[in-house]
Amino acid sequence: MSLFADLKKSKPGVDSNWNPGFDFSIARSAKRRSISIEIRRAEVVIRAPVAVPEALLLDFLQQKARWVQQKIAEQTQRLESVAPPVAPVYTQGTEVVFMDERLTLVLGRGATAAIHRVDQHLHVLLSTRSRLPDAQQIQQLLMRWYQQQALHILTAKTAQLTGQMGLVCSAVTVKATRSKWGHCTSRGAIQYNWNILLAPEHIVDYLVAHEVCHLRHQNHSRDFWALVASVCPSFAADRAWLKANGARLSL
């Protein structure tokens, strides 16, 4: 019996309203003679022969969805349990990356902790009332500032692109996660990892394009990547850069 026949026999067809609840991509090869699901670092790839229709691949994925979700959960847990890299030491004059810029830290002290930017300098005011070591205070203030900037910048970039594409995003949030750079829910809400601001701005733009395109396609199908390419022609190089350098993007 052929591969197509096996798939058709096992299920009547994919439910058009089915949402897997996870991202996946499809990789086709003329040399392949079977379908497999590969999950690495909580990322799902369906590998298949060139001739297999996408509807049958989605049908296959729906049948294996419970197993896939279990593997994603296991791998995500392992990724998040890995010890984080040693935190850098922030002192007077330390430079921090902010997209395409480098900002210099200027340290001071006052009754209340605060941080604000003046041109290419980040003025960090350490609280004289805090019992935390200076390095911890500085890192906490930097993380708070980056989160605030990320929410503002990513919300604006998302609004601009959704308006351009005629799409609607119900909400934008930011969070530091170790396994994902972004996530778009079936309800149209997008979550970004605020550490993306440590990457060049064209990488930030690619991430926004990627998640916004999920508002139309809740998968990594051929149509999804075609849509990404239409709004971010450099997506392949940007995606490769993020995979190669993403682990280094943290405060």
Side-chain angles (χ1 to χ4, degrees):
M1 185 176 290
S2 71
L3 172 65
F4 291 0
D6 285 339
L7 283 171
K8 290 175 179 177
K9 181 180 178 181
S10 61
K11 270 279 188 177
V14 67
D15 179 357
S16 60
N17 296 317
W18 177 67
N19 183 350
F22 52 82
D23 292 337
F24 64 91
S25 59
I26 297 173
R28 298 178 183 272
S29 171
K31 296 181 179 180
R32 286 196 68 91
R33 300 195 178 278
S34 62
I35 298 173
S36 68
I37 299 176
E38 180 181 288
I39 308 171
R40 293 184 179 178
R41 295 186 62 81
E43 295 184 353
V44 181
V45 179
I46 305 175
R47 300 195 178 278
V50 173
V52 180
E54 186 170 304
L56 291 182
L57 297 181
L58 296 178
D59 185 20
F60 182 71
L61 181 62
Q62 184 173 359
Q63 296 174 51
K64 304 293 185 181
R66 183 174 298 179
W67 173 81
V68 172
Q69 290 165 343
Q70 180 182 350
K71 291 298 180 182
I72 291 174
E74 291 173 356
Q75 293 184 13
T76 299
Q77 185 176 16
R78 284 199 298 269
L79 288 169
E80 293 181 345
S81 66
V82 174
V86 177
V89 177
Y90 298 107
T91 59
Q92 180 78 16
T94 297
E95 288 187 338
V96 294
V97 175
F98 182 73
M99 293 194 292
D100 295 333
E101 302 178 277
R102 299 188 75 86
L103 308 180
T104 303
L105 299 186
V106 179
L107 306 183
R109 295 189 183 276
T112 304
I115 183 170
H116 64 280
R117 177 178 176 176
V118 178
D119 298 324
Q120 298 306 111
H121 295 86
L122 268 184
H123 291 259
V124 181
L125 199 61
L126 303 178
S127 172
T128 56
R129 300 176 181 177
S130 176
R131 295 182 179 181
L132 295 176
D134 287 356
Q136 192 171 346
Q137 274 202 74
I138 294 169
Q139 187 173 38
Q140 286 186 357
L141 287 167
L142 283 173
M143 290 173 68
R144 190 180 310 155
W145 185 79
Y146 271 84
Q147 289 175 31
Q148 292 169 346
Q149 297 302 310
L151 184 59
H152 173 72
I153 291 170
L154 294 169
T155 297
K157 285 181 177 291
T158 300
Q160 180 179 4
L161 188 56
T162 54
Q164 174 185 324
M165 298 177 67
L167 300 172
V168 176
C169 174
S170 61
V172 172
T173 57
V174 296
K175 183 179 179 181
T177 58
R178 303 212 53 193
S179 58
K180 285 187 177 182
W181 286 104
H183 178 65
C184 177
T185 72
S186 58
R187 296 183 178 181
I190 296 177
Q191 177 182 288
Y192 296 107
N193 185 332
W194 57 262
N195 282 297
I196 196 64
L197 292 195
L198 295 164
E201 188 167 10
H202 67 92
I203 303 298
V204 177
D205 291 337
Y206 156 68
L207 178 62
V208 171
H210 186 117
E211 298 308 326
V212 166
C213 288
H214 275 315
L215 293 170
R216 182 169 294 168
H217 300 289
Q218 282 280 324
N219 52 48
H220 285 108
S221 63
R222 187 177 302 175
D223 288 341
F224 167 79
W225 288 115
L227 186 62
V228 174
S230 72
V231 294
C232 182
S234 63
F235 82 93
D238 295 337
R239 183 171 179 241
W241 187 98
L242 190 55
K243 283 192 172 183
N245 299 281
R248 300 189 292 108
L249 305 180
S250 63
L251 288 174

